[in-house]
Amino acid sequence: MTAFLTHMLSLGIGYLFGLFQTAFIYGKCCGIDIRTVGSGNSGATNALRNLGLKAGLTVFVGDVLKCVLAICLTRFLFAGDSPAMREIVTLYTGFGCILGHNFPFYMNFKGGKGVACSFAVALMINWPAALIGMAVFFAIFFSVHYVSVGSLTGLTLVYGTILFRGLGGVFGLSAGQKCQYAMIIVVILFMAFWQHRENIRRLRHHSENKTYFTRKKGGS
């Protein structure tokens, strides 16, 4: 199997797993279409604000798990014993899962923002960095109560660390693999900021919604 086919299959498998919309399914089980409340976003934050803490945690864990499972599958199928191929397959699969989560075809390409999936990809590549990023998220969140600020700061830190380590030779990537590695990481991080563009606009205008674990509050 050629490297190109392996990458495309990993991307496709990731997309299929990403189509499992945890927030939408959880909302339906509660008799609510998550797309019609709050921000209309099919993600953990909207579930937290409108369905409560249990819903938010369940959705977050579900979105992480679908990405982890997809990566485990493609690693088993395509990576073999090569550390470099394992990381490349991980990134292609994770990117596909983020695309499926953010742009599910059966929901008119309107899903979530991909934060949980992006965290899951980082977790599978460098779990210490991912946990540090999560700690940074909570530190910022409990300080200012802006999910968007905590998410984007944490993801930037994590993916910056992953990029530095990968290009520094930790995984034994070839020159061509390093280009792919860097490109996918940059695209994943760019997509996170793009999906939060309205939040960034509201932050600039001091109108961003704050989020609290202790009460429900609509928003995006």
Side-chain angles (χ1 to χ4, degrees):
M1 185 181 297
T2 66
F4 176 78
L5 182 57
T6 297
H7 298 159
M8 292 303 99
L9 286 173
S10 298
L11 189 71
I13 290 171
Y15 184 84
L16 289 176
F17 272 77
L19 293 176
F20 185 87
Q21 294 288 317
T22 315
F24 178 75
I25 295 171
Y26 191 101
K28 283 296 185 181
C29 291
C30 298
I32 296 174
D33 186 340
I34 196 68
R35 299 171 299 176
T36 64
V37 297
S39 66
N41 188 264
S42 183
T45 301
N46 200 33
L48 168 66
R49 286 170 169 163
N50 294 282
L51 298 175
L53 179 59
K54 179 182 176 182
L57 291 175
T58 301
V59 171
F60 179 81
V61 171
D63 287 342
V64 168
L65 281 178
K66 71 184 180 186
C67 194
V68 169
L69 291 174
I71 290 170
C72 287
L73 176 60
T74 55
R75 280 182 173 181
F76 174 76
L77 293 175
F78 308 127
D81 297 324
S82 169
M85 181 58 73
R86 183 185 65 219
E87 303 312 321
I88 293 297
V89 164
T90 296
L91 279 175
Y92 272 101
T93 306
F95 180 47
C97 196
I98 295 168
L99 288 174
H101 176 80
N102 290 357
F103 310 110
F105 71 89
Y106 64 94
M107 292 172 61
N108 295 321
F109 300 98
K110 178 70 168 65
K113 295 183 179 179
V115 172
C117 291
S118 298
F119 170 75
V121 178
L123 192 67
M124 295 297 285
I125 294 177
N126 187 336
W127 65 265
L131 294 183
I132 291 172
M134 179 64 74
V136 169
F137 164 79
F138 279 112
I140 293 175
F141 173 77
F142 285 119
S143 297
V144 299
H145 295 285
Y146 290 132
V147 173
S148 55
V149 176
S151 298
L152 294 177
T153 303
L155 287 178
T156 300
L157 174 65
V158 172
Y159 276 93
T161 301
I162 290 173
L163 180 61
F164 178 79
R165 284 171 55 83
L167 297 184
V170 173
F171 306 120
L173 301 171
S174 67
Q177 288 173 328
K178 284 182 179 180
C179 289
Q180 295 177 68
Y181 187 88
M183 179 184 68
I184 297 173
I185 285 177
V186 169
V187 171
I188 288 175
L189 196 53
F190 171 80
M191 187 178 299
F193 277 84
W194 176 256
Q195 291 295 94
H196 285 84
R197 61 193 182 278
E198 287 301 316
N199 303 84
I200 295 171
R201 181 187 63 79
R202 287 194 295 270
L203 284 166
R204 291 174 58 192
H205 291 88
H206 307 288
S207 59
E208 173 70 321
N209 296 299
K210 292 189 175 185
T211 301
Y212 301 86
F213 284 156
T214 54
R215 71 172 188 267
K216 302 177 185 179
K217 183 181 175 73
S220 88

